[in-house]
Amino acid sequence: MNNQAIQTIEKEQIKFLKFPKEELLSSKKEKAERCQTLTRAMVLGNIEHQKVHILFADNEGLKRVNTTIWGVTEEYVILKTSTTIPMERIVSVA
């Protein structure tokens, strides 16, 4: 990733983005940690309605969204209104 500005967007904008198919994380450890963090965030979102910041990349660069995670599958993170972000495009969750 280069040092470009991170654009903060609303979750409603995600459905208009284009996502390349390449994985952003290189190691199995990073991917496992991402999955654990997303699952933890999903539990907090469903039980306590707690929002998280998701840092991800579309075909134009890095984006950040502050939202509640409703579900996590092997391929996607599911947000409200059936909005999804491909798992391989997520850099971090905080």
Side-chain angles (χ1 to χ4, degrees):
M1 292 281 130
N2 52 12
N3 290 331
Q4 67 195 33
I6 298 170
Q7 181 185 357
T8 300
I9 65 167
E10 297 299 318
K11 70 179 174 300
E12 291 78 15
Q13 295 172 275
I14 293 172
K15 61 178 159 272
F16 302 110
L17 303 178
K18 303 239 182 300
F19 293 102
K21 281 287 179 204
E22 66 184 317
E23 171 63 69
L24 294 172
L25 303 183
S26 51
S27 76
K28 279 187 176 178
K29 183 175 185 272
E30 287 176 314
K31 293 176 198 173
E33 286 172 358
R34 173 179 61 194
C35 199
Q36 281 182 324
T37 304
L38 286 166
T39 301
R40 200 173 308 119
M42 175 190 67
V43 171
L44 287 173
N46 287 328
I47 294 172
E48 300 177 13
H49 307 287
Q50 188 169 332
K51 290 186 174 188
V52 294
H53 290 282
I54 302 173
L55 181 65
F56 65 98
D58 66 354
N59 63 336
E60 294 177 357
L62 289 173
K63 307 262 191 300
R64 177 183 291 125
V65 64
N66 185 27
T67 188
T68 305
I69 296 175
W70 283 41
V72 177
T73 71
E74 279 186 36
E75 295 181 20
Y76 294 98
V77 171
I78 305 162
L79 312 177
K80 208 172 188 176
T81 65
S82 302
T83 301
T84 60
I85 302 173
M87 181 71 74
E88 70 266 12
R89 302 308 295 171
I90 295 176
V91 178
S92 66
V93 181

